[in-house]
Amino acid sequence: MKDMNNRTRIRQSASAMLPLKLEKHVEFVGDIQWMPLLSEDEANRKWLMRNCTLCEHEFSDEDLDDGPKCPSCNAMERTRTMPILMHYLQKMNQNWFEGEYLAFALTNLEEKIIRPHYGELCSVSLYGSYRANHQLGMDIRDLSRFEDRRFCATFSCLIFDYLTEHDKALRELNRVIKNEGVFITHIANYRLSDNDDEPVETGRISAGPDSFTYLGDDTIPSINVGKEWFFRALDRAGFTPGLIAIRDPPTEEHFLWFVGIKRAQ
């Protein structure tokens, strides 16, 4: 009966997905231990409107006209939401300050934000080399190089955007995460539909002059998926699922992060 009640709450949370236009600095769903919600005044003092959350550069109208990237530190909008994300994950991360975490295609700016919350980094990617001691050729759908329950957390950004086998990847991630460990990922807003659509390939992506150059002659799929479907997929894989929408202070655009806490096995 308890499991049925949990699944009912998950279904209700997933069906009440977040609005596309936020009225607050964050909104979240999911039966996990978020930090208490700050008031808008508290949030605006902590993360000043119009300011980059990483370097505190104050965006002018001209800056915003030139594009969303911070002219001082080059942080994109989604990256600027990460300090806010990590604030609200503090309760979940409180036991993992010395734990090893697995990160896919982690940029230097992302590492700077995540580093204070975990211990040693295991840096991997399928394509491209990101730093010294980086492991190349790592497919998120096959993590057989790693033993069960090795990592305290996993982080990825724009990874599930380029594969259809989400269930398989989530099961592998659940296998290598410790009990009560943390799963974090971001999927681009334009790839998320407001329904229960399973992942579907909408096209193929090839290397361009300034993008995906690491692909060479290879191509990768371009994916769309329903927010509700992915939320429930986390539950199927053995996570207690959560979803948080965070407003980027300079642009006031929102970005969604999926979070999962591995249930004890």
Side-chain angles (χ1 to χ4, degrees):
M1 180 62 69
K2 181 178 179 181
D3 184 64
M4 181 64 70
N5 289 338
N6 287 341
R7 296 302 171 87
T8 299
R9 286 201 301 272
I10 287 168
R11 175 68 188 182
Q12 291 171 342
S13 295
S15 297
M17 279 292 141
L18 306 169
L20 294 179
K21 187 66 175 178
L22 289 177
E23 296 180 356
K24 299 179 180 180
H25 71 285
V26 298
E27 295 180 21
F28 40 67
V29 294
D31 192 20
I32 56 180
Q33 287 189 313
W34 306 105
M35 286 288 286
L37 181 66
L38 297 178
S39 71
E40 292 307 290
D41 285 344
E42 290 172 325
N44 290 338
R45 288 195 296 271
K46 189 173 181 65
W47 305 292
L48 297 176
M49 295 298 289
R50 304 277 291 206
N51 282 29
C52 175
T53 58
L54 276 72
C55 70
E56 300 186 352
H57 171 81
E58 183 175 0
F59 277 69
S60 65
D61 291 339
E62 291 76 14
D63 290 336
L64 292 171
D65 287 342
D66 288 340
K69 183 182 290 188
C70 176
S72 178
C73 70
N74 292 322
M76 296 297 293
E77 312 102 292
R78 64 177 180 270
T79 310
R80 294 195 297 264
T81 65
M82 286 180 60
I84 304 173
L85 170 70
M86 299 312 290
H87 168 82
Y88 281 103
L89 296 185
Q90 286 182 81
K91 281 190 177 181
M92 307 173 213
N93 286 330
Q94 62 186 348
N95 296 322
W96 302 125
F97 289 113
E98 297 181 357
E100 183 183 17
Y101 70 103
L102 177 67
F104 294 82
L106 186 72
T107 68
N108 290 332
L109 281 176
E110 291 167 347
E111 183 185 6
K112 180 180 178 181
I113 299 165
I114 294 175
R115 187 190 305 128
H117 301 275
Y118 304 115
E120 182 180 354
L121 164 65
C122 181
S123 178
V124 302
S125 67
L126 185 58
Y127 298 97
S129 183
Y130 287 76
R131 56 187 46 80
N133 300 318
H134 180 82
Q135 298 188 46
L136 187 60
M138 184 67 67
D139 191 326
I140 197 170
R141 295 159 292 194
D142 178 11
L143 302 177
S144 54
R145 298 186 205 177
F146 304 126
E147 65 271 20
D148 294 357
R149 294 183 293 277
R150 171 169 168 174
F151 301 105
C152 71
T154 67
F155 174 88
S156 62
C157 182
L158 306 181
I159 295 293
F160 287 90
D161 304 54
Y162 305 114
L163 57 97
T164 56
E165 302 94 331
H166 289 186
D167 278 321
K168 183 177 182 180
L170 289 171
R171 286 194 301 269
E172 270 292 84
L173 289 166
N174 183 270
R175 180 183 65 78
V176 301
I177 294 177
K178 297 177 185 293
N179 290 342
E180 304 299 324
V182 184
F183 163 90
I184 305 168
T185 200
H186 167 70
I187 300 174
N189 290 350
Y190 68 91
R191 296 185 182 279
L192 292 168
S193 57
D194 293 318
N195 50 41
D196 196 23
D197 290 344
E198 64 183 22
V200 60
E201 182 176 328
T202 60
R204 302 293 298 184
I205 296 172
S206 56
D210 301 310
S211 61
F212 298 98
T213 54
Y214 49 79
L215 289 177
D217 294 330
D218 291 341
T219 63
I220 54 176
S222 179
I223 303 302
N224 282 6
V225 64
K227 286 185 287 186
E228 181 177 338
W229 187 94
F230 196 88
F231 188 92
R232 294 169 64 190
L234 281 169
D235 176 56
R236 290 195 299 272
F239 295 100
T240 300
L243 176 61
I244 182 169
I246 305 172
R247 186 172 60 203
D248 169 47
T251 64
E252 299 188 45
E253 295 293 325
H254 77 279
F255 294 85
L256 274 66
W257 293 86
F258 290 90
V259 178
I261 304 301
K262 181 176 175 176
R263 294 191 289 268
Q265 297 178 355

